[in-house]
Amino acid sequence: MFKSVIRLQSRLGGVITFCKVFPRHELFRNAMKYSTASAERKRFYQDVSISQGEGGLYEVNLDRKKLKTPSGKLFTVPNEALAIAVATEWDAQKDSIRFYTMHLTTLCNTALDNPTQRSKEQMISAALKFLETDTICYRVDEPPGLVELQRNEWDPVLHWIESRYNVTIGSSSSILGPEIPEGTKETFRQHLGSFSLWSLTGLEFVITQLKSLILSLGMLDRHLSVERAVLLSRLEEEYQIRRWGNVEWAHDYDMYELRARTAAGALFVHLSSESSTIKHKLMQD
């Protein structure tokens, strides 16, 4: 069966172009197994393409061979937009494949393989657990400068989310943190229930980066930019850096990495829920 494929070719002056081709699909003989923590591998393919397979799912092909997950499953994503984003990650690799930079691919693998075998309800409960230890709910008593900074920067976000979802959260300087009302937890539980398992995978990744469900939802609701959400999640650290100084390159590297991971997680949430087909012209532009 012939299928319409979008091929990404970055060798033409560094510009990704798209054209229609009709390849004969071949299977990977061995599943690609790798660790996203530090693994690198020499690039073994020339072209990257996507194709629509059975059930309307999209596949990613490396030199016309179908990509698979670390556990050996066929790598399929729910829509064209996410397939193009993943294919772009693979196409962007140069001489070596740096798996630890391919956050969208990793998130897809996690959603497909579900290595912890958790249900959607378990993932929602895990996300709500973060609310009890949310970064912006824990305040300090001193120094006065940091107390004021937290109040000025975090309170507006806290007030926004309470108004947005009609809930009560509050903040506390106690080691126990604020006591979150059951009604608030139930409201968020119902809201997260509208997320797919794929979107919850991305949300959990974002929460892990920011240590905050509140900042994560603020960013996904487009109330906060990625840069703003990351800065607010590091408020105390940034305060200490301004006061005592830092190793500039190390700080900049950490900030860049955190922004990259957070942005990838947010993009994954939005793309995994995308239902419309991406127009090729938009991608070319």
Side-chain angles (χ1 to χ4, degrees):
M1 177 178 178
F2 293 97
K3 303 171 187 174
S4 176
V5 175
I6 301 172
R7 171 167 296 175
L8 298 104
Q9 297 176 310
S10 64
R11 299 294 180 264
L12 304 178
V15 178
I16 299 177
T17 58
F18 299 83
C19 60
K20 292 279 187 173
V21 297
F22 298 92
R24 188 177 301 168
H25 294 308
E26 300 174 16
L27 295 173
F28 271 130
R29 294 182 180 178
N30 299 306
M32 296 177 56
K33 303 219 178 247
Y34 55 82
S35 166
T36 57
S38 59
E40 290 194 18
R41 179 181 177 183
K42 183 178 180 180
R43 177 164 172 156
F44 57 90
Y45 55 91
Q46 293 296 319
D47 298 324
V48 185
S49 62
I50 69 170
S51 58
Q52 191 169 17
E54 296 181 5
L57 298 177
Y58 284 83
E59 303 161 358
V60 176
N61 310 294
L62 307 179
D63 289 340
R64 302 184 181 182
K65 295 181 180 179
K66 297 182 180 182
L67 185 64
K68 289 189 176 181
T69 71
S71 71
K73 292 181 181 178
L74 181 64
F75 188 101
T76 57
V77 298
N79 57 59
E80 183 184 21
L82 184 55
I84 289 176
V86 170
T88 302
E89 275 192 336
W90 284 90
D91 194 64
Q93 304 304 305
K94 303 304 180 185
D95 294 332
S96 296
I97 308 170
R98 298 178 299 162
F99 294 114
Y100 53 88
T101 68
M102 302 170 69
H103 304 305
L104 295 177
T105 300
T106 299
L107 286 167
C108 288
N109 283 331
T110 301
L112 288 166
D113 286 345
N114 191 10
T116 56
Q117 296 300 303
R118 289 184 300 164
S119 66
K120 181 176 173 179
E121 290 69 27
Q122 288 174 315
M123 295 183 70
I124 292 174
S125 294
L128 292 177
K129 275 291 183 182
F130 277 94
L131 187 60
E132 300 173 1
T133 57
D134 200 283
T135 294
I136 74 171
C137 292
Y138 278 80
R139 307 298 175 88
V140 297
D141 290 322
E142 57 181 24
L146 182 55
V147 172
E148 182 180 7
L149 184 63
Q150 288 181 342
R151 183 173 60 248
N152 292 341
E153 299 295 334
W154 284 349
D155 278 0
V157 181
L158 190 56
H159 295 158
W160 168 82
I161 200 164
E162 289 180 327
S163 175
R164 165 73 172 82
Y165 292 96
N166 192 26
V167 296
T168 300
I169 299 176
S171 61
S172 172
S173 59
S174 166
I175 192 173
L176 299 177
E179 185 174 343
I180 309 297
E182 288 301 318
T184 296
K185 295 179 183 179
E186 183 58 30
T187 296
F188 283 123
R189 185 179 298 277
Q190 292 180 12
H191 175 62
L192 296 181
S194 66
F195 283 49
S196 67
L197 188 143
W198 282 64
S199 295
L200 287 172
T201 299
L203 173 63
E204 186 172 72
F205 185 72
V206 174
I207 294 173
T208 302
Q209 308 310 312
L210 301 178
K211 306 298 186 294
S212 170
L213 174 61
I214 295 172
L215 292 176
S216 299
L217 290 178
M219 188 178 62
L220 293 179
D221 282 349
R222 295 184 174 89
H223 177 71
L224 299 172
S225 66
V226 171
E227 291 78 9
R228 183 67 176 161
V230 167
L231 180 61
L232 290 176
S233 75
R234 292 166 51 96
L235 200 62
E236 185 171 354
E237 183 178 352
E238 294 299 319
Y239 173 83
Q240 297 296 346
I241 287 173
R242 288 202 300 267
R243 187 175 182 182
W244 303 107
N246 71 297
V247 179
E248 185 174 352
W249 68 265
H251 167 266
D252 292 344
Y253 179 81
D254 289 345
M255 180 70 82
Y256 171 79
E257 284 296 308
L258 183 55
R259 284 178 180 172
R261 292 192 299 270
T262 302
L267 181 62
F268 183 82
V269 173
H270 289 302
L271 291 182
S272 62
S273 59
E274 174 63 54
S275 60
S276 61
T277 299
I278 297 297
K279 298 298 183 181
H280 303 170
K281 183 179 183 300
L282 292 178
M283 297 304 299
Q284 288 178 319
D285 292 343

